[in-house]
Short mmCIF file of all heavy atoms in Angstrom, two decimals:
data_model
loop_
_atom_site.label_atom_id
_atom_site.label_comp_id
_atom_site.label_asym_id
_atom_site.label_seq_id
_atom_site.Cartn_x
_atom_site.Cartn_y
_atom_site.Cartn_z
N GLU A 908 117.27 96.02 115.84
CA GLU A 908 118.73 95.77 115.78
C GLU A 908 119.54 96.66 116.73
O GLU A 908 120.47 96.22 117.36
CB GLU A 908 119.23 96.02 114.33
CG GLU A 908 118.67 95.04 113.32
CD GLU A 908 118.83 93.58 113.80
OE1 GLU A 908 119.94 93.19 114.21
OE2 GLU A 908 117.82 92.83 113.80
N THR A 952 113.63 95.96 111.81
CA THR A 952 114.96 95.52 111.41
C THR A 952 115.20 95.83 109.95
O THR A 952 114.30 96.16 109.18
CB THR A 952 115.16 94.02 111.65
OG1 THR A 952 114.46 93.30 110.63
CG2 THR A 952 114.66 93.56 112.99
N VAL A 962 108.66 84.09 111.70
CA VAL A 962 107.59 84.21 112.69
C VAL A 962 106.35 83.49 112.23
O VAL A 962 105.71 82.71 112.97
CB VAL A 962 107.24 85.67 113.06
CG1 VAL A 962 106.02 85.77 113.92
CG2 VAL A 962 108.44 86.30 113.79
N LEU A 966 104.22 80.44 114.11
CA LEU A 966 103.10 80.82 114.91
C LEU A 966 101.80 80.69 114.12
O LEU A 966 101.75 80.67 112.92
CB LEU A 966 103.23 82.30 115.28
CG LEU A 966 104.45 82.69 116.14
CD1 LEU A 966 104.48 84.20 116.31
CD2 LEU A 966 104.35 82.01 117.48
N LYS A 992 107.98 113.57 121.77
CA LYS A 992 107.35 113.65 120.45
C LYS A 992 107.46 112.31 119.77
O LYS A 992 106.52 111.83 119.14
CB LYS A 992 107.96 114.76 119.64
CG LYS A 992 107.33 114.90 118.25
CD LYS A 992 107.98 116.05 117.47
CE LYS A 992 107.37 116.18 116.04
NZ LYS A 992 107.98 117.21 115.27
N TRP A 993 108.66 111.68 119.81
CA TRP A 993 108.93 110.42 119.17
C TRP A 993 107.99 109.38 119.79
O TRP A 993 107.38 108.54 119.05
CB TRP A 993 110.38 110.02 119.36
CG TRP A 993 110.76 108.71 118.75
CD1 TRP A 993 111.20 108.51 117.49
CD2 TRP A 993 110.72 107.41 119.38
NE1 TRP A 993 111.49 107.13 117.31
CE2 TRP A 993 111.16 106.48 118.45
CE3 TRP A 993 110.32 106.96 120.61
CZ2 TRP A 993 111.26 105.08 118.72
CZ3 TRP A 993 110.40 105.64 120.91
CH2 TRP A 993 110.85 104.71 119.96
N GLN A 996 104.40 109.75 118.51
CA GLN A 996 104.29 109.28 117.11
C GLN A 996 104.24 107.76 117.06
O GLN A 996 103.52 107.15 116.29
CB GLN A 996 105.45 109.82 116.30
CG GLN A 996 105.38 111.29 116.04
CD GLN A 996 106.63 111.86 115.35
OE1 GLN A 996 107.68 111.27 115.46
NE2 GLN A 996 106.48 112.97 114.71
N TYR A 1026 89.51 115.45 97.90
CA TYR A 1026 89.76 114.68 96.69
C TYR A 1026 89.86 113.22 97.00
O TYR A 1026 90.34 112.79 98.01
CB TYR A 1026 91.14 115.13 96.06
CG TYR A 1026 91.15 116.55 95.61
CD1 TYR A 1026 91.81 117.60 96.31
CD2 TYR A 1026 90.60 116.93 94.41
CE1 TYR A 1026 91.90 118.89 95.93
CE2 TYR A 1026 90.61 118.26 93.95
CZ TYR A 1026 91.24 119.23 94.73
OH TYR A 1026 91.25 120.52 94.32
N ALA A 1032 98.75 101.30 89.29
CA ALA A 1032 100.10 100.77 89.17
C ALA A 1032 100.13 99.34 88.76
O ALA A 1032 99.15 98.62 88.96
CB ALA A 1032 100.85 100.97 90.48
N GLU A 1042 107.21 105.35 97.90
CA GLU A 1042 107.92 106.67 97.91
C GLU A 1042 106.93 107.82 97.90
O GLU A 1042 107.15 108.82 98.64
CB GLU A 1042 108.85 106.73 96.71
CG GLU A 1042 109.67 108.02 96.66
CD GLU A 1042 110.55 108.13 95.43
OE1 GLU A 1042 110.70 107.15 94.69
OE2 GLU A 1042 111.13 109.24 95.24
N THR A 1144 93.51 110.93 89.22
CA THR A 1144 94.11 109.62 88.92
C THR A 1144 95.65 109.81 88.71
O THR A 1144 95.99 110.73 87.91
CB THR A 1144 93.51 108.98 87.71
OG1 THR A 1144 92.11 108.69 87.90
CG2 THR A 1144 94.23 107.64 87.34
#
Side-chain angles (χ1 to χ4, degrees):
E908 295 311 310
T952 74
V962 172
L966 299 174
K992 181 180 179 181
W993 181 90
Q996 292 172 335
Y1026 295 104
E1042 183 182 351
T1144 296

